């Protein structure tokens, strides 16, 4: 059992209010989060909801007990992007999705994310999707046309658009939706579409085909968590149309207004103040950063420093500061037994709509007060300072004094000869190896950074 006396408050997108979280059943707390479409490595933006909802999952487990919380996050493994990747590479679809699914799990594991209790793959739930679509047709909420099945938005007009705060008429006016001859209303969206022989397809009452994007989450959440559950999460880019369409499908299938009670959406991620894009050259996968020498623990701390409902800016400066903080905290907690639980102030901050920035401030206070046991327990609760995450900090112990001395001597000589090429060569080599070079009148200090690679010092 957990510590039930903590009151959790969450900003509910559905009601536009911060509300006290009251689960339907305190001994069966259920959360569904929309996961990745697996056709490539996860980029840094994909990692944000993973870390945000991992923190919420940890809080729920702390408050209600680990065995009382069920967390489901799906893998979309049937999608036109995947089909295109298979066609371009000549590799089988199943091989691509198996590989990219494992990549995702490996990369998110490096960021300290716990694995959800359920990780359903869309292709495993096609019969359930077909049954739900059939039911929607029978209830008058969907119609078959030319091998497609479409959801009839008019059948749910009063409620459609409430999550994103739009009316159907406004949406149609500003719609850039595919106008197809078989659609009764331009906002109607696809539940099932026909597949040609070269595309993945399954038999259905409407012919061989595959599901639309939105129906999969409705069918899988119903199957794993029931027709009504506590929390539904995802990035705010999914609010419309994905989540809006999920609500429409699920509520119409359930025959009432029940589905998820609390909707949480995280804001998007930027890199060095700009939207991440390949054209700007600031597009990173999580693996790119890990390969560049940024430890997963450092990436995690940078993420936690920004509240989930604010846009998050990934910068190299923040990563360097986070690394210095973690080194300091690790030095302080080495060989220490953690306290029996996270500090009350840490739990209180997190319970206030996942105020992770406030939590980090509390960790700094614990460190400043010298409360190593409290710091360790609180950091562990957040997925920081754990043994599994710490290999980078121990790092290879390299004696840098000889390198410091050689740079100091080269500098002294350059002062006399006014020839600085050797100094510049050494400095460039040290920076390339991941060392920060600090020079003063007193001497030279080389400080290992996030990507320190001692192998690059060989032969200098």
């Amino acid at each position: 059992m957990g510590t039930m006396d903590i009151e959790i408050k969450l900003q509910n997108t559905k009601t536009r209010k911060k509300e006290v979280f009251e689960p339907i059943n305190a001994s069966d707390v259920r959360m569904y989060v929309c996961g990745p479409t697996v056709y490539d490595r996860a980029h840094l933006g994909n990692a944000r909801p993973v870390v945000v909802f991992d923190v919420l999952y940890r809080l729920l487990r702390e408050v209600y007990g680990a065995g009382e919380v069920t967390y489901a996050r799906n893998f979309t493994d049937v999608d036109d992007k995947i089909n295109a990747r298979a066609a371009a590479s000549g590799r089988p679809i199943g091989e691509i999705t198996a590989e990219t699914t494992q990549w995702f799990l490996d990369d998110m594991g490096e960021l300290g994310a716990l694995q959800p209790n359920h990780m359903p793959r869309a292709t495993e739930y096609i019969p359930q999707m077909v049954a739900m679509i059939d039911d929607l047709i029978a209830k008058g909420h969907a119609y078959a046309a030319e091998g497609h099945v479409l959801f009839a938005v008019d059948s749910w007009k009063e409620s459609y658009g409430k999550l994103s705060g739009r009316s159907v008429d406004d949406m149609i006016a500003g719609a850039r939706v595919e106008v197809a001859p078989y659609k009764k209303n331009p906002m109607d969206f696809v539940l099932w579409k026909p597949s040609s022989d070269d595309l993945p397809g399954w038999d259905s009452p409407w012919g061989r085909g595959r599901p639309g994007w939105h129906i999969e989450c409705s069918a899988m959440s119903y199957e794993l968590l029931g027709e009504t559950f506590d929390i539904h999460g995802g990035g705010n880019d999914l609010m419309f149309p994905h989540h809006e369409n999920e609500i429409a499908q699920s509520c119409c299938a359930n025959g009432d207004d029940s589905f998820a009670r609390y909707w949480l959406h995280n804001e998007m991620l930027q890199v060095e103040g700009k939207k991440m894009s390949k054209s700007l050259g600031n597009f990173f996968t999580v693996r790119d950063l890990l390969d560049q020498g940024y430890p997963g623990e450092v990436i995690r701390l940078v993420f936690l420093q920004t509240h989930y409902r604010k846009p998050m800016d990934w910068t190299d400066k923040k990563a360097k500061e986070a690394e210095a903080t973690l080194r300091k905290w690790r030095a302080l907690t080495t060989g220490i037994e953690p306290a029996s639980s996270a500090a009350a102030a840490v739990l209180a901050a997190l319970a206030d709509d996942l105020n992770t920035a406030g939590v980090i401030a509390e960790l700094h206070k614990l460190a400043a007060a010298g409360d190593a046991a409290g710091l360790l327990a609180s950091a562990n609760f957040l997925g920081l300072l754990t043994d599994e995450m710490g290999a980078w900090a121990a790092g290879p112990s390299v004696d840098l004094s000889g390198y410091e001395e050689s740079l100091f001597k080269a500098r002294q000589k350059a002062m006399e000869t006014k020839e600085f090429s050797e100094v510049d060569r050494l400095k460039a080599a040290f920076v390339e190896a991941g060392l920060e070079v600090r020079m003063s009148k007193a001497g030279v200090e080389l400080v290992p950074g996030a990507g320190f690679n001692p192998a690059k010092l060989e032969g200098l």
Side-chain angles (χ1 to χ4, degrees):
M1 280 307 290
T3 45
M4 301 272 284
D5 50 343
I6 295 169
E7 184 178 77
I8 299 175
K9 288 182 176 163
L10 300 171
Q11 178 75 21
N12 190 350
T13 310
K14 192 167 145 188
T15 58
R16 310 273 187 280
K17 289 202 288 275
K18 194 193 278 195
E19 298 177 340
V20 174
F21 174 65
E22 289 174 354
I24 299 161
N25 175 355
S27 57
D28 181 17
V29 181
R30 287 158 289 161
M31 173 165 79
Y32 187 92
V33 173
C34 289
T37 300
V38 282
Y39 65 98
D40 207 344
R41 285 272 181 197
H43 63 68
L44 209 48
N46 302 139
R48 192 171 193 203
V50 173
V51 173
V52 166
F53 292 102
D54 178 63
V55 168
L56 178 53
Y57 181 44
R58 288 166 184 269
L59 176 64
L60 294 170
R61 284 161 62 100
E62 177 72 20
V63 173
Y64 296 98
E68 327 291 313
V69 181
T70 305
Y71 173 19
R73 185 187 65 217
N74 70 302
F75 284 106
T76 296
D77 62 348
V78 51
D79 180 88
D80 290 341
K81 283 181 181 156
I82 300 170
N83 301 339
R85 180 62 54 100
S89 65
R91 294 176 67 201
I93 283 171
E95 194 180 292
I96 291 173
T97 58
E99 176 182 66
T100 46
T101 297
Q102 194 54 51
W103 280 351
F104 183 86
L105 293 173
D106 292 346
D107 293 353
M108 297 307 123
E110 294 252 5
L111 301 188
L114 303 171
Q115 288 205 359
N117 308 87
H118 299 290
M119 295 186 283
R121 298 204 309 275
T123 51
E124 297 169 339
Y125 288 80
I126 304 286
Q128 290 87 338
M129 295 179 212
V130 169
M132 188 175 255
I133 295 168
D134 214 19
D135 183 40
L136 287 168
I137 294 174
K139 288 176 174 160
H141 292 295
Y143 57 94
E146 297 182 28
H148 292 73
V149 181
L150 292 122
F151 184 90
V153 166
D154 281 344
S155 73
W156 178 245
K157 198 167 177 179
E158 296 315 302
S159 301
Y160 190 76
K162 275 191 178 160
L163 182 74
S164 54
R166 316 170 185 207
S167 76
V168 173
D169 297 335
D170 288 349
M171 287 192 230
I172 292 173
R176 289 190 314 207
V177 286
E178 182 192 359
V179 178
Y182 46 78
K183 281 190 179 185
K184 292 179 181 173
N185 174 325
M187 293 309 296
D188 291 351
F189 57 88
V190 173
L191 300 173
W192 189 262
K193 55 189 170 186
S195 288
S196 55
D197 291 344
D198 58 334
L199 289 174
W202 289 264
D203 291 330
S204 82
W206 320 286
R208 182 177 177 275
R210 59 196 192 279
W213 176 31
H214 316 296
I215 193 71
E216 60 174 273
C217 288
S218 286
M220 291 189 285
S221 64
Y222 175 80
E223 198 65 27
L224 294 167
L225 304 178
E227 66 178 43
T228 177
F229 53 93
D230 298 300
I231 296 168
H232 194 312
N236 66 357
D237 55 329
L238 297 180
M239 199 184 301
F240 184 85
H242 186 51
H243 290 162
E244 202 71 75
N245 292 352
E246 270 187 69
I247 291 173
Q249 296 159 167
S250 294
C251 290
C252 290
N254 297 343
D256 59 23
D257 202 10
S258 66
F259 182 37
R261 306 233 329 236
Y262 299 84
W263 285 82
L264 269 71
H265 291 94
N266 62 277
E267 251 290 356
M268 295 296 96
L269 175 129
Q270 301 169 317
V271 171
E272 303 289 350
K274 295 190 174 70
K275 188 175 184 224
M276 191 163 74
S277 77
K278 287 183 173 153
S279 60
L280 287 174
N282 67 347
F283 181 91
F284 295 107
T285 66
V286 173
R287 182 49 53 187
D288 288 337
L289 286 182
L290 292 167
D291 287 347
Q292 285 168 26
Y294 292 95
E297 187 175 33
V298 168
I299 299 172
R300 185 179 181 90
L301 180 57
V302 173
F303 275 37
L304 296 178
Q305 285 168 346
T306 305
H307 191 272
Y308 77 94
R309 284 192 295 106
K310 292 192 172 131
M312 194 208 117
D313 191 14
W314 169 270
T315 68
D316 188 53
K317 180 170 181 275
K318 282 186 188 171
K320 288 196 162 60
E321 287 167 358
E323 191 207 331
T325 296
L326 286 165
R327 283 191 187 280
K328 197 168 71 184
W329 288 352
R330 282 191 169 276
L332 191 66
T333 55
T334 304
I336 296 282
E337 277 298 306
S340 57
S341 72
V346 165
L347 291 169
L350 205 57
D352 182 15
D353 194 31
L354 303 184
N355 181 6
T356 52
V359 169
I360 303 303
E362 292 299 335
L363 295 183
H364 281 296
K365 283 185 200 167
L366 290 165
D371 182 359
L375 172 64
L376 188 55
S378 302
N380 286 171
F381 164 59
L382 276 178
L384 299 169
L385 303 190
T386 60
D387 292 343
E388 310 85 77
M389 295 285 275
W392 69 274
S397 57
V398 177
D399 181 7
L400 297 171
S401 58
Y403 297 105
E404 290 170 341
E405 194 178 329
S406 62
L407 179 55
F408 184 66
K409 282 184 174 158
R411 185 157 158 252
Q412 280 181 314
K413 190 175 172 191
M415 292 296 217
E416 293 162 18
T417 62
K418 303 289 182 255
E419 175 48 65
F420 282 87
S421 58
E422 176 63 5
V423 173
D424 293 340
R425 183 186 79 84
L426 286 171
K427 267 173 67 177
F430 293 149
V431 170
E432 169 63 18
L435 292 167
E436 189 189 332
V437 180
R438 297 178 185 169
M439 299 209 289
S440 67
K441 285 195 180 110
V444 171
E445 192 187 0
L446 298 175
V447 183
F452 176 46
N453 180 357
K456 289 187 173 173
L457 296 175
E458 283 169 21
L460 273 182

